[in-house]
Amino acid sequence: MIETRRPGLAHACAAVLRRDLTLAWRLRGDMVLPVLYALIVTSLFPFALGPENALLRRIAGGVVLVTILLAMLLAMDAMFRSDIEDGSLEQLMLAPQPLAVMLGMKILAHWLATALPLIVVAPLLAGMLHLPATVIPVLLAALLLATPLLSLLGGILVALTAGTRRSGMLLALMLLPLCVPVVIFAAGALAAAQEGLPWIAPIAWLGAALVLAVVLAPLACAAALRIALDS
C-alpha cells in the first residue's frame, strides 16, 4: 500500500504565498490602483494649499502617511474575495495545516502586493511635498511597521465580513477607528524627526504592536472566518 506524505508546514506556507502572489501579478492592474490613488491625492495638496514650501514641508509627513493608509483600504476588501468565490477558503479550512498560519501567509501576500508598492513610491510622494531628506528614513520605517499592522487588523475584519455582499463600506467604517492609534504613533515619530527630537519611542511602540498583532491576528482571523462561513 502506497502512503502519500502530507506536505510540511513550510512547504504549504510557501505554496500559499506563491499562489497568492501569482494571482496578484496576473491582476496587476488592481495593484496599480492604490499607487495611482496615492499619487493623485498627494499631487492635489499643493494646488489646494498653495506652493508655500514651509507649509507643505510641515504637513508632508502626515499627508503621505494618511494617504498611503487610505490607499490600502481600497484593496483591503479583496483580501479573501477570490478565495471565497472559488471555494479555496473552505479547502484551506479542511487542510491539515493550521488555518491561522495559512491565513497569515495570505495576509503577507496581500501586504506584499498592496502595501509594498506604496512604500516604494513613498519617497516620491514625500518629495512632491518637500519633506526633508533626513526625515524620509523615518517615514519608511514608520510605513514598514504601520502598513503590516493595518493589514493584520484588516484581515480580522475582512474575515468577519466574509461572505457578505458590499462589505467594503462596512469594512472601512470598522477599520478606520483601529487606524487612529497607528496614525498617532507614526505621525508622532515623523513630527519628532522634523523637529530634531528623538523619534525612537513611537517607532518602538509600533514595533511592539506589530509583534503582538503577528502573534494574535492570524488566530483571531481564523476564528472569525470559521464563524462567518459557518453562519
Side-chain angles (χ1 to χ4, degrees), residues 65 68-69 72 76 107 111 114-116 118-119 140-153 182 206 210:
L65 179 67
I68 288 180
L69 294 182
M72 288 185 62
M76 195 69 69
I107 295 173
W111 178 82
T114 303
L116 195 58
L118 291 168
I119 296 175
L140 294 178
L143 290 174
L144 285 172
L145 295 175
T147 52
L149 180 56
L150 181 62
S151 293
L152 289 166
L153 295 175
V182 180
L206 280 177
L210 177 59

Side-chain angles (χ1 to χ4, degrees), residues 15-167:
V16 170
L17 188 62
R18 182 169 59 250
R19 171 188 177 272
D20 283 11
L21 291 178
T22 302
L23 292 176
W25 178 251
R26 290 178 181 175
L27 301 174
R28 50 188 175 271
D30 295 338
M31 297 170 55
V32 177
L33 289 179
V35 176
L36 289 178
Y37 170 85
L39 287 171
I40 292 173
V41 171
T42 305
S43 63
L44 290 177
F45 275 88
F47 293 104
L49 300 177
E52 184 181 351
N53 290 343
L55 175 60
L56 294 177
R57 190 180 300 113
R58 188 167 63 251
I59 67 170
V63 168
V64 173
L65 179 67
V66 173
T67 300
I68 288 180
L69 294 182
L70 290 178
M72 288 185 62
L73 291 179
L74 295 177
M76 195 69 69
D77 185 37
M79 184 179 293
F80 301 140
R81 182 190 302 161
S82 61
D83 299 302
I84 294 174
E85 292 174 352
D86 61 15
S88 299
L89 275 183
E90 285 81 358
Q91 296 180 5
L92 209 61
M93 293 175 65
L94 298 175
Q97 289 78 20
L99 179 60
V101 178
M102 297 296 100
L103 292 178
M105 290 298 103
K106 298 185 76 65
I107 295 173
L108 174 60
H110 182 268
W111 178 82
L112 291 173
T114 303
L116 195 58
L118 291 168
I119 296 175
V120 171
V121 302
L124 174 61
L125 302 179
M128 293 168 59
L129 298 177
H130 306 286
L131 185 70
T134 56
V135 185
I136 291 180
V138 183
L139 172 65
L140 294 178
L143 290 174
L144 285 172
L145 295 175
T147 52
L149 180 56
L150 181 62
S151 293
L152 289 166
L153 295 175
I156 301 173
L157 299 180
V158 171
L160 281 174
T161 59
T164 60
R165 296 181 178 179
R166 298 179 180 178
S167 60

